Amino acid sequence: MDAKLSQLQSISQKDKAAGYLSLLSEALAQPEAGAVARDVHAVLEAALTQDHVGIVVGRQVLAELVSGLAGGAARDRDLKKQIVEDALAIAAPRGVSFEEQVNSLRFQLADLLEEEEDWSGFAHILTAIQLENAQDEEKLKVYNRIVRLLLEEEDSVQAETYYMRAALLVNAKTDRETSLNFKLCQARINDYTRKFLEAASRYHELSWAGEVDEEERSIMLSSAVTCAVLAPAGPNRSRVLALLCRDERTTQLPSYNILSKTFLDRILRPAEVKEFEATLKSHQLARIAQSSNDRLAASASSDADDGAAETGAGAGEAVSTRTGPSTVLDRAVLEHNLLASSKIYNNITFYGLGALLDLTPGAAETMARRMIEQGRLKGSIDQVERLIWFEDSKEEDDAQGKAGGLGEVDMHTEDTGAPHTKKWDMQIRMTAANVESIINHLAREQVESQLNFAGFLVFHCPLKEDAVETLKTLAESSHRVPFT
């Protein structure tokens, strides 16, 4: 091979391309893997590093190598990987001149690493691909893959960086498959960053996508249930829980028991939590740090509550020493049990709530205070009597009833001064309530039987001409844009 390469130095420039391409084909056709790797290396080094050969010839040689490897010229996967890595190393010093061919080689190497489940190496190769001259659609596909791979390595920080880049490229013209991949990345990013409510909604949306495999849809539905249970307790979570409870597919999931108890605001027992914990991923079991203010607040009221316990009904009982939740799951369970206790009691002492949640009385007060401040719990705190008073949460009832269709319709109407309009509104409400009641008693098999297909009804809702550009501008200015 060295002698043949030396002969090419003396021929005219216009014949060099054909000469190098012939030698490359000859090298790839050899039966021995070691000889193939050695001769391909010699051809590439001569064609890409010698100035007298020229960039045009080098591009043709690399393009031929890319085409040959894609066509199966290297029958052994390890040999193909070795050739691609060798070619990338040789072309690296002049990578700008061979950008298109180098990108193609990196894609091939990325596919090989994906087969080996080397997620870290796969992501590293994809991040090295130059996308400045690529179309938005191609960039979005690459960014989606990078986000997925980085999340496999649980590198959520870098994954979020590439997710933000992908978010700027999503528009109405994105094909369905790419759009679904982006939404999955969005759901997983929200999951890893503990935005469980948003993640649950997105997972549930994807679980209805017909393009997704049935097994994958079941996994997404299970992920939606998990995130809904881990989400902060309050009216917003109740809406998502109601939506999931209405979904008949959730009854087949192992986590349906804890889903139903969470939706119905029932106390979660340690055995049930332990069973649910076994289904969680590592980031959903991450430990959380307790702020210094919370620790001070928990310890400041401990003495007073200990004294009350010694003289009150709790005399002789051990007081918990926990000053707050230790994990993401622990926090979700404690907040849920606190909300559930508000449905049982009109009021409760700091000591009693601490005993119920297995927290110090001061820590229980701190958790209740924070939930009241955030509007997730209706009530008030009496510091003198060391009592927490709970109020009826009409907003929470509305979230469970109207949004989920599992409650009663509120018959209170605004006095508009128009009696006929008011009567008509009441008739509409009653009709809607009766229809909802009938639907709740119908089985799907009964509804979907003996139907005659009449055709499809298609609605078209075009965007305004400047909608995409406006959304991009808002996203670039650090505004959250929920449209995808």
Side-chain angles (χ1 to χ4, degrees):
M1 182 59 68
D2 291 339
K4 295 177 181 179
L5 290 172
S6 299
Q7 293 177 2
L8 291 179
Q9 296 180 8
S10 59
I11 66 175
S12 61
Q13 188 68 25
K14 65 178 181 179
D15 296 328
K16 284 184 178 180
Y20 280 107
L21 292 177
S22 176
L23 290 180
L24 180 62
S25 300
E26 181 182 333
L28 289 172
Q30 295 183 91
E32 186 183 349
V36 172
R38 182 180 62 252
D39 289 349
V40 169
H41 174 86
V43 173
L44 292 177
E45 191 168 26
L48 303 182
T49 62
Q50 296 181 11
D51 294 334
H52 67 84
V53 176
I55 294 176
V56 175
V57 176
R59 286 175 180 168
Q60 290 178 318
V61 173
L62 270 182
E64 181 66 21
L65 177 64
V66 170
S67 177
L69 293 176
R75 293 171 293 277
D76 183 72
R77 188 172 59 83
D78 293 334
L79 174 60
K80 181 178 179 180
K81 181 180 178 181
Q82 181 183 352
I83 293 174
V84 173
E85 290 177 338
D86 196 22
L88 289 173
I90 295 173
R94 307 176 71 178
V96 177
S97 302
F98 309 120
E99 180 178 318
E100 182 180 351
Q101 293 76 23
V102 168
N103 283 348
S104 299
L105 288 172
R106 282 179 173 144
F107 277 121
Q108 291 192 17
L109 180 57
D111 291 337
L112 292 172
L113 293 174
E114 184 178 20
E115 292 177 6
E116 297 176 359
E117 297 186 358
D118 182 2
W119 310 125
S120 179
F122 188 2
H124 177 72
I125 290 297
L126 288 181
T127 54
I129 294 176
Q130 301 298 320
L131 298 173
E132 287 78 3
N133 299 322
Q135 298 293 326
D136 286 353
E137 191 79 12
E138 183 180 352
K139 289 181 182 179
L140 180 57
K141 290 180 180 179
V142 174
Y143 290 151
N144 282 342
R145 293 180 74 182
I146 292 175
V147 172
R148 179 171 60 86
L149 294 167
L150 290 174
L151 289 178
E152 291 289 344
E153 288 294 304
E154 299 190 354
D155 186 357
S156 59
V157 176
Q158 192 173 2
E160 189 170 9
T161 301
Y162 282 93
Y163 163 74
M164 295 304 296
R165 295 183 186 180
L168 299 177
L169 302 174
V170 177
N171 53 54
K173 297 180 181 179
T174 304
D175 66 79
R176 178 66 172 168
E177 181 181 355
T178 305
S179 177
L180 289 175
N181 284 331
F182 174 77
K183 289 180 179 179
L184 178 58
C185 291
Q186 188 178 39
R188 295 188 65 188
I189 284 290
N190 287 332
D191 189 351
Y192 271 82
T193 55
R194 303 177 191 173
K195 298 176 182 177
F196 293 118
L197 204 58
E198 294 88 339
S201 298
R202 187 62 75 192
Y203 277 132
H204 189 240
E205 177 187 348
L206 289 170
S207 71
W208 288 106
E211 297 85 350
V212 182
D213 182 72
E214 184 176 355
E215 183 178 354
E216 292 293 327
R217 291 203 303 269
S218 178
I219 293 174
M220 291 177 188
L221 182 62
S222 179
S223 298
V225 172
T226 298
C227 290
V229 173
L230 293 176
N236 291 332
R237 186 184 71 156
S238 295
R239 293 186 180 92
V240 177
L241 291 171
L243 186 64
L244 290 170
C245 283
R246 286 291 306 279
D247 192 333
E248 61 186 17
R249 300 174 299 166
T250 58
T251 58
Q252 308 300 322
L253 298 177
S255 54
Y256 178 72
N257 179 50
I258 197 166
L259 170 66
S260 60
K261 293 195 71 173
T262 305
F263 171 69
L264 296 173
D265 289 329
R266 295 177 180 172
I267 299 291
L268 298 178
R269 303 301 177 186
E272 296 166 336
V273 176
K274 194 71 175 178
E275 181 182 357
F276 179 66
E277 183 180 2
T279 66
L280 300 182
K281 300 177 181 178
S282 58
H283 70 275
Q284 295 167 338
L285 294 171
R287 300 190 67 83
I288 55 178
Q290 189 178 10
S291 68
S292 57
N293 289 337
D294 289 347
R295 287 195 296 269
L296 288 173
S299 60
S301 57
S302 294
D303 295 339
D305 287 295
D306 289 343
E310 291 176 1
T311 58
E317 296 182 6
V319 179
S320 174
T321 58
R322 294 178 64 199
T323 58
S326 57
T327 65
V328 174
L329 173 62
D330 193 20
R331 179 174 60 189
V333 171
L334 290 177
E335 289 183 350
H336 168 79
N337 285 343
L338 174 54
L339 189 64
S341 66
S342 70
K343 308 295 181 180
I344 302 173
Y345 304 105
N346 290 325
N347 60 63
I348 191 171
T349 63
F350 295 171
Y351 176 84
L353 183 60
L356 179 65
L357 301 180
D358 189 23
L359 293 174
T360 63
E365 177 203 358
T366 300
M367 179 171 288
R369 172 176 50 79
R370 181 178 292 109
M371 291 182 65
I372 292 173
E373 289 174 349
Q374 296 173 351
R376 296 189 286 132
L377 176 67
K378 299 296 182 181
S380 58
I381 297 178
D382 187 341
Q383 290 282 0
V384 177
E385 298 294 334
R386 312 197 70 74
L387 281 173
I388 300 174
W389 290 86
F390 299 118
E391 301 173 4
D392 291 335
S393 179
K394 191 65 177 70
E395 183 181 1
E396 180 112 353
D397 294 339
D398 289 346
Q400 295 182 356
K402 295 178 182 177
L406 299 178
E408 299 296 330
V409 175
D410 183 9
M411 294 302 170
H412 175 73
T413 57
E414 181 183 359
D415 187 6
T416 61
H420 294 291
T421 302
K422 182 177 180 180
K423 183 178 180 181
W424 179 246
D425 288 344
M426 180 60 70
Q427 289 177 345
I428 293 176
R429 287 189 176 213
M430 290 297 299
T431 301
N434 291 333
V435 169
E436 185 71 23
S437 177
I438 293 172
I439 290 174
N440 287 336
H441 292 85
L442 290 177
R444 180 173 180 176
E445 294 77 8
Q446 178 183 359
V447 175
E448 295 183 354
S449 62
Q450 299 179 353
L451 298 178
N452 294 322
F453 178 72
F456 291 106
L457 182 62
V458 180
F459 292 93
H460 180 53
C461 300
L463 295 174
K464 294 183 179 180
E465 294 181 358
D466 59 344
V468 174
E469 190 63 33
T470 302
L471 292 176
K472 282 187 176 181
T473 304
L474 288 171
E476 290 171 355
S477 59
S478 300
H479 287 79
R480 180 176 176 273
V481 183
F483 297 96
T484 58

